[in-house]
Amino acid sequence: MVNIATRKVLMPHPKLIVAFTGLESHAQSLMQELKVQSRKRQSLLLSQLPDHAISPKAMSTLMSHILWERKYYVEPVVVGLTPAHADGGSKPFLCAQDMIGAQSKSDAFVCAGVATSSMFGIAEALWRPNLSKEELIQVCGKAFLSALERDCLSGYGAVLYLISKDGIEQIDLVTGND
């Protein structure tokens, strides 16, 4: 997420992040609505399946429905880990949405916001399957910082959130504001 202002990130649990680009007030309202709606669904599920957190796919679908019903000027990104049933590990879930809730899912990477076209170009050039944690941080950092240099409306500085089986790690990428 690229920005220097208030961070528009919702972390419902340690394996799910919902980030927003767009108008601050709309992002805050949508975050509140998502919290309420996900709690409603969570309480229904808990009566049937204890210790069941909302999945990234369910959060993405919920977000899509909310965006279709109401007009929010935000572009959300839903990222999380879903259980891979065969080997017991986790599988990444990546979904970016536009302002009306149309989903764009990928196994590699997703981008949203003002500098999307710049980030896509760098990410396509540098990303490859099965990157190590350090390589992934480097690729994401280069994509963010390169996009920031090319688009003056993006602000400066970036925060990288890395989701692993151990939880969410936050890495601040600092740039100059010249």
Side-chain angles (χ1 to χ4, degrees), residues 14-155:
K15 297 198 180 193
L16 177 61
I17 294 177
V18 183
F20 304 91
T21 64
L23 296 178
E24 180 73 28
S25 60
H26 287 218
Q28 289 176 357
S29 296
L30 183 54
M31 279 195 283
Q32 289 301 317
E33 187 165 355
L34 279 171
K35 285 178 187 176
V36 169
Q37 292 294 332
S38 63
R39 281 189 198 130
K40 282 182 187 176
R41 283 158 176 74
Q42 186 85 14
S43 63
L44 291 173
L45 284 173
L46 286 177
S47 62
Q48 299 166 1
L49 303 168
D51 299 329
H52 184 73
I54 189 166
S55 71
K57 184 177 179 181
M59 179 62 83
S60 182
T61 302
L62 175 61
M63 173 103 56
S64 191
H65 287 290
I66 292 171
L67 288 172
W68 181 251
E69 289 175 356
R70 294 174 189 77
K71 192 63 168 173
Y72 287 107
Y73 289 97
V74 296
E75 290 182 22
V77 175
V78 179
V79 179
L81 294 177
T82 59
H85 301 290
D87 62 358
S90 297
K91 181 181 168 189
F93 177 87
L94 308 166
C95 179
Q97 297 182 11
D98 64 10
M99 288 186 259
I100 61 168
Q103 298 181 358
S104 174
K105 296 177 186 174
S106 173
D107 292 330
F109 55 87
V110 293
C111 302
V114 175
T116 298
S117 58
S118 297
M119 280 193 286
F120 264 121
I122 302 299
E124 285 175 343
L126 299 177
W127 187 87
R128 66 182 190 283
N130 302 319
L131 290 169
S132 70
K133 176 183 173 180
E134 291 77 22
E135 290 173 325
L136 184 60
I137 291 169
Q138 229 178 12
V139 167
C140 292
K142 285 180 183 178
F144 282 150
L145 298 178
S146 178
L148 287 172
E149 290 174 1
R150 288 174 172 72
D151 191 334
C152 65
L153 298 176
S154 296

